[in-house]
């Protein structure tokens, strides 16, 4: 594994309305807050020798800016695009330009929900996708990303 990878943090980006986690709609998204998920992620990442930059925004452009920042400042990304998952060509294009492992994550299983959630603009530019395990999806995504970084020859 390249030395560079482990000295850079992983980026965990969460999109619109995910700041409301734990406060509304617990039957769909669970009772764990985004801050608590951030702690779970940081703990798991630490067990892999990785540090974490966690960010959330309700604004598409912020997410695009952070993906661009991650190109040179991170070892890889975990992205929950929220509703932008299904709509954002800008996020797709930004992720396409990243030469790092990307893991798409969702708390719910979008395929078991409304049809408009069945298509993701992020999946084609992600290495893999983890859905449906609630807050644990993020922890599983850390394991997946750590494994990708570990096996990376870049
Ligand atoms: O399951 C996921 O992680 C989603 O990315 C969540 C998005 C949804 O649009 C995607 O289809 C699947 C919505 C996030 C909204 O989060 C809320 C949390 C609490 C209360 C209201 C919204």
């Amino acid at each position: 594994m390249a030395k560079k990878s482990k000295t850079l943090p992983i980026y965990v980006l969460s999109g619109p309305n995910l700041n409301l986690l734990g406060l509304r709609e617990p039957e769909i998204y669970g009772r764990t807050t985004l801050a608590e998920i951030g702690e779970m992620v940081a703990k798991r990442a630490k067990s892999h020798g990785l540090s974490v930059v966690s960010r959330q925004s309700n604004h598409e452009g912020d997410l695009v800016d952070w993906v661009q920042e991650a190109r040179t400042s991170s070892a890889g990304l975990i992205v929950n695009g929220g509703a932008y998952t299904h709509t954002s060509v800008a996020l797709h294009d930004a992720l396409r330009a990243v030469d790092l492992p990307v893991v798409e994550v969702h708390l719910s299983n979008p395929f078991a929900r409304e049809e408009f959630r069945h298509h993701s603009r992020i999946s084609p530019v992600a290495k893999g996708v983890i859905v449906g395990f609630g807050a644990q999806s993020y922890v599983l995504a850390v394991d997946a990303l750590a494994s990708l970084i570990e096996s990376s020859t870049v």
Side-chain angles (χ1 to χ4, degrees):
M1 191 227 29
K3 187 175 176 209
K4 189 178 155 214
S5 303
K6 279 226 168 172
T7 55
L8 293 173
I10 60 169
Y11 273 39
V12 180
L13 304 182
S14 297
N17 296 309
L18 286 160
N19 54 312
L20 297 177
L21 278 181
L23 311 176
R24 301 280 309 274
E25 302 196 69
E27 66 286 358
I28 302 176
Y29 299 115
R31 296 192 182 277
T32 310
T33 66
L34 193 58
E36 288 166 342
I37 289 176
E39 288 168 17
M40 291 161 67
V41 161
K43 189 174 168 194
R44 191 59 151 239
K46 195 174 173 192
S47 78
H48 291 290
L50 294 165
S51 60
V52 183
V53 170
S54 285
R55 299 202 182 130
Q56 184 276 333
S57 179
N58 295 327
H59 305 280
E60 190 175 13
D62 286 344
L63 296 164
V64 170
D65 284 345
W66 294 335
V67 169
Q68 290 188 13
E69 180 184 303
R71 288 176 66 226
T72 51
S73 303
S74 84
L77 294 92
I78 294 169
V79 179
N80 184 348
Y84 291 141
T85 301
H86 316 296
T87 63
S88 178
V89 176
L91 203 46
H92 170 103
D93 287 345
L95 287 165
R96 182 180 282 280
V98 171
D99 194 20
L100 292 167
V102 175
V103 177
E104 178 183 356
V105 68
H106 296 286
L107 299 146
S108 66
N109 176 358
F111 303 103
R113 302 180 63 192
E114 304 95 319
E115 190 159 356
F116 66 84
R117 298 185 202 275
H118 294 185
H119 182 261
S120 166
R121 293 193 190 277
I122 292 177
S123 298
V125 287
K127 186 77 179 172
V129 185
I130 296 171
V131 307
F133 297 98
Q136 198 62 21
S137 288
Y138 277 77
V139 176
L140 294 169
V142 172
D143 288 345
L145 187 59
S147 162
L148 291 167
I149 292 167
E150 194 68 39
S151 60
S152 164
T153 53
V154 182

